Amino acid sequence: MSTRDAHLAQRFEATRTTAYRSSVKTRGTIYLSRGRDVRGHRAMSKTLPFYFITAFSNDAFAGNPTAVVFVDDDLAENTETLMKLGANLSQPISLMVYSPREPSTDPKIAKRRVRFMTNSLSEVALCGHGALTVAGTMFAKKLVPEEVEVLELETKSAGVLKAYRKEDGWFDIELPSATLHEVSSDEARALKKALNNAFGRVLEINYIGRGRDNFAPYLVVELDAKEDLKASAVDANALKTTGYNIHVITTDSITGEEAFISRAFAPTVVQAGEDHVSGSTHSLLIPYWFSKKQIPRGDLVSVKQVSQRGGHLKVIWEKDSDIVHLQGQTALFAEGTITLQ
């Protein structure tokens, strides 16, 4: 075993041990592995399998980490418990996966329902990187038959997300495309003040736009590429008063290796303030940059999110539909069970 592999094995074992220790203690009662408490009485509990997995990277310590938890239908409707579960798992997003309303009649398609819980006791309607990690988990752990090629993930309010298995460990997810609407001059002045405070300098801003409908909480800001987005230190807390939950900061590529780069800040949604590699933001970014740079719809291009962890995506804006495709890799790095009384 190489030094790197030994290090990863140690990290995996430490994570698994911590997860186990935290899972077997609930409401002051410690459960034994056979479902009995310390007095030998049978414990009335349920166990939930979970996986820690990163999106948009094949490196467990890069990309966007998530928890994927498989819950039963009764628990899936208990929003309060799911929120607490998401907070305990301490990942930016925890995916709660449960059975479909109706099973698929096509052997190449598997259906599931999903809910997206943050680590700050809230729920979001859509999470692109979360959909990718569900696909990565279910295919890697063989939780669907071998002939399945597509997962259909029904959300609470954002429709059905589709995830496809590709070659070489890549997965493709479909998201709705969305149009940006430029903010008013009065709103732009207030937003520029908040953005300048967050970056600690006066920024050269090319455009500020907002989403609508399911993307109403999203704000997209294009900076001049000279601002060096990757190297910028950003105080996400300075963005809490903008009236938006997700702040997408983007620039053109300096190197030409990718079509554009971006970072996403959500201080009212995720505890860390920055969403390491956001999938849903690309529903807005892809149409914006494809239109601005006149990239032909249907072309596959590379883009990067340049947070500290970083992520690499390949993206497409479909020719004849309002669909964008995000392609990425995943890395499974821990698994275990959660015990609930």
Side-chain angles (χ1 to χ4, degrees):
M1 180 182 292
S2 68
T3 302
R4 181 178 183 273
D5 289 342
H7 173 69
L8 289 174
Q10 290 172 355
R11 291 290 298 272
F12 171 82
E13 187 61 31
T15 304
R16 185 173 65 175
T17 301
T18 302
Y20 170 76
R21 287 174 177 168
S22 65
S23 71
V24 297
K25 186 173 182 179
T26 305
R27 298 184 184 177
T29 303
I30 299 175
Y31 295 103
L32 303 179
S33 60
R34 292 185 179 180
R36 298 180 183 272
D37 63 21
V38 291
R39 294 179 297 279
H41 300 304
R42 191 156 190 84
M44 298 299 292
S45 61
K46 64 174 63 178
T47 57
L48 312 172
F50 77 93
Y51 302 86
F52 286 154
I53 183 169
T54 60
F56 299 118
S57 177
N58 60 358
D59 181 350
F61 304 110
N64 206 348
T66 24
V68 176
V69 187
F70 292 88
V71 302
D72 60 36
D73 290 356
D74 290 338
L75 182 58
E77 298 304 321
N78 189 331
T79 300
E80 181 180 1
T81 298
L82 293 186
M83 285 183 177
K84 291 178 179 178
L85 189 55
N88 272 4
L89 288 165
S90 297
Q91 301 302 301
I93 290 286
S94 293
L95 279 291
M96 307 299 166
V97 185
Y98 55 113
S99 62
R101 298 180 192 277
E102 295 182 359
S104 172
T105 58
D106 186 336
K108 293 186 177 182
I109 298 175
K111 295 182 178 182
R112 294 294 187 274
R113 284 180 285 175
V114 293
R115 297 183 68 175
F116 309 105
M117 302 295 166
T118 75
N119 57 6
S120 56
L121 294 173
S122 64
E123 181 175 11
V124 295
L126 179 66
C127 178
H129 80 271
L132 192 80
T133 57
V134 172
T137 300
M138 295 190 70
F139 285 123
K141 300 303 296 183
K142 301 185 185 303
L143 302 179
V144 291
E146 188 67 29
E147 62 267 25
V148 170
E149 298 175 357
V150 183
L151 291 178
E152 292 186 354
L153 306 174
E154 181 185 346
T155 69
K156 291 288 281 187
S157 60
V160 175
L161 307 178
K162 292 184 179 181
Y164 302 84
R165 175 163 44 184
K166 306 290 285 185
E167 296 180 352
D168 301 324
W170 285 75
F171 302 95
D172 180 308
I173 59 172
E174 284 185 2
L175 296 178
S177 65
T179 303
L180 284 168
H181 304 270
E182 191 166 9
V183 302
S184 68
S185 56
D186 288 342
E187 185 178 8
R189 279 193 292 271
L191 290 170
K192 286 178 180 180
K193 183 177 180 180
L195 289 161
N196 290 340
N197 288 338
F199 279 76
R201 63 180 187 272
V202 177
L203 298 168
E204 187 171 339
I205 297 173
N206 294 337
Y207 174 84
I208 305 178
R210 58 185 177 85
R212 288 183 178 171
D213 301 323
N214 282 332
F215 295 94
Y218 291 69
L219 184 76
V220 174
V221 180
E222 185 202 341
L223 304 181
D224 188 274
K226 297 191 297 292
E227 291 291 350
D228 196 356
L229 180 59
K230 181 178 181 178
S232 295
V234 181
D235 176 12
N237 288 326
L239 301 173
K240 284 184 174 181
T241 59
T242 63
Y244 297 90
N245 291 338
I246 298 98
H247 307 79
V248 189
I249 316 298
T250 184
T251 77
D252 199 352
S253 172
I254 297 176
T255 64
E257 295 177 356
E258 56 277 320
F260 60 86
I261 62 173
S262 64
R263 293 173 70 178
F265 301 93
T268 62
V269 179
V270 295
Q271 291 178 356
E274 182 166 9
D275 193 350
H276 304 294
V277 190
S278 170
S280 62
T281 57
H282 289 81
S283 288
L284 295 160
L285 287 170
I286 292 169
Y288 175 77
W289 281 109
F290 269 61
S291 298
K292 180 168 184 173
K293 301 185 77 170
Q294 298 183 330
I295 300 170
R297 292 180 66 160
D299 278 13
L300 178 70
V301 300
S302 291
V303 303
K304 289 182 180 177
Q305 198 137 17
V306 291
S307 64
Q308 185 174 4
R309 289 178 66 100
H312 174 214
L313 303 80
K314 299 176 184 178
V315 303
I316 302 170
W317 188 13
E318 282 193 2
K319 287 182 178 180
D320 302 317
S321 67
D322 295 327
I323 295 293
V324 296
H325 289 259
L326 311 184
Q327 295 181 11
Q329 296 171 292
T330 63
L332 181 67
F333 65 93
E335 60 184 277
T337 57
I338 299 164
T339 302
L340 295 179
Q341 185 174 354

